[in-house]
Amino acid sequence: MRHSRIAACVSSLLLSAVCTLTGTTAAQAAPEAAGTGYVALGDSYSSGVGAGGYFANSGDCLRSSRAYPALWAASHRRSSFSFTACNGARTGDVMDHQLGTLGARTGLVSVTVGGSDSGFGHVMTTCVLRGSAACLSAVSEARTYMDSTLPHDLDRLYTAIRRKAPAARVIVLGYPHLYKVHGTCTGGLADASRSALNNAVDHLDTVIAKRVADHGFTFADVRGAFRDHEICTSSPWVRSVSLLAPVESYHPTSLGQSRGYLPVFTRSA
């Protein structure tokens, strides 16, 4: 009996020690097993069009070393960094060409998308070349698309991101106002057109934020960060129309990326 009791006690102590060690090992292993990779998806506002310093191997995607994803990755330790954002990308382009590096080890995802889907390039061209009436009509058409088609496309994309990166924190960043209405500009678009464009951005951000919330992601609003740095201010962080570099027109400058997008993303990450 005495030997049985001793054996039982020894077994109990060994089991306790094993459990303690196992628990410690698991606790130590958990951070290593957690996803720590960062994947930057999206359109030109994430690739860094307008900021310059484009990577030679990025081709027409115009990925910039001055874009907020590259700046954030350079100052934060992550197990991996995949920069797949591309100029002109729509939700379907992100779905088809940018999700390949997502996986169980992905811990952070950033994305801007929806502006190209809504035809903002066409809208801006119309506003610059065809006057206020045509501009307001183009803005109205874009808003209709935002309400009728874009929510479904965003749902498909966000669902795919979550499926491929189940453990990731997903941060969806919005778009800034383009103009300071009644600002310093003495020519160019009429204030009615500038106001309509800003209102369209507000509408787009609202549509995106709603879909983001429904998927449990985080919406990062950059409009406040860009306030008083829009076109028609003394220190704009958004490029106006440029005949020498038309693709960079109406995109954040390097300061727009480093002082506008980057701090907002950093607070959310």
Side-chain angles (χ1 to χ4, degrees), residues 45 112 120 173-179 197-198 200-202 204-205 220-227 229-230 237-238 250-252 256 260-261:
Y45 275 63
T112 56
F120 258 90
L173 297 97
Y175 297 90
H177 285 166
L178 298 175
Y179 284 97
L197 289 166
N198 285 350
V201 170
D202 288 336
L204 175 59
D205 281 345
D221 191 341
V222 300
R223 286 171 290 183
F226 277 81
R227 186 173 295 118
H229 294 288
E230 307 93 339
W237 292 351
V238 180
Y250 304 109
H251 284 88
Y261 270 93

Side-chain angles (χ1 to χ4, degrees), residues 44-45 49-51 120 124 174-180 184-185 197-198 201 222-223 225-242 245 247-261:
S44 54
Y45 275 63
V49 173
F120 258 90
M124 297 312 305
Y175 297 90
H177 285 166
L178 298 175
Y179 284 97
K180 181 75 171 180
T184 59
C185 294
L197 289 166
N198 285 350
V201 170
V222 300
R223 286 171 290 183
F226 277 81
R227 186 173 295 118
D228 296 326
H229 294 288
E230 307 93 339
I231 301 169
C232 298
T233 62
S234 59
S235 56
W237 292 351
V238 180
R239 293 188 181 277
S240 186
V241 63
S242 171
V247 72
E248 294 189 331
S249 301
Y250 304 109
H251 284 88
T253 64
S254 59
L255 288 179
Q257 290 286 339
S258 64
R259 298 186 184 181
Y261 270 93

Side-chain angles (χ1 to χ4, degrees), residues 16-75:
S16 177
V18 168
C19 289
T20 300
L21 289 172
T22 303
T24 302
T25 302
Q28 291 173 342
E32 297 177 2
T36 58
Y38 169 36
V39 179
L41 311 169
D43 57 18
S44 54
Y45 275 63
S46 284
S47 72
V49 173
Y54 305 116
F55 294 112
N57 63 356
S58 68
D60 292 338
C61 285
L62 297 177
R63 299 184 191 103
S64 171
S65 61
R66 302 167 187 168
Y68 76 86
L71 296 174
W72 191 90
S75 59

Side-chain angles (χ1 to χ4, degrees), residues 209-226:
K210 175 63 167 64
R211 306 320 307 151
V212 167
D214 287 350
H215 285 265
F217 296 166
T218 298
F219 179 72
D221 191 341
V222 300
R223 286 171 290 183
F226 277 81

Side-chain angles (χ1 to χ4, degrees), residues 116-184:
S116 295
D117 296 73
S118 303
F120 258 90
H122 167 72
V123 169
M124 297 312 305
T125 299
T126 300
C127 290
V128 170
L129 299 179
R130 296 181 55 195
S132 294
C135 178
L136 297 180
S137 177
V139 168
S140 178
E141 290 178 9
R143 289 174 63 108
T144 298
Y145 183 93
M146 294 173 201
D147 289 332
S148 62
T149 305
L150 185 59
H152 172 69
D153 291 341
L154 292 174
D155 281 337
R156 291 178 61 246
L157 174 60
Y158 296 162
T159 298
I161 291 173
R162 176 53 71 216
R163 184 173 61 250
K164 288 181 172 289
R169 177 171 178 78
V170 181
I171 300 172
V172 181
L173 297 97
Y175 297 90
H177 285 166
L178 298 175
Y179 284 97
K180 181 75 171 180
V181 180
H182 308 306
T184 59

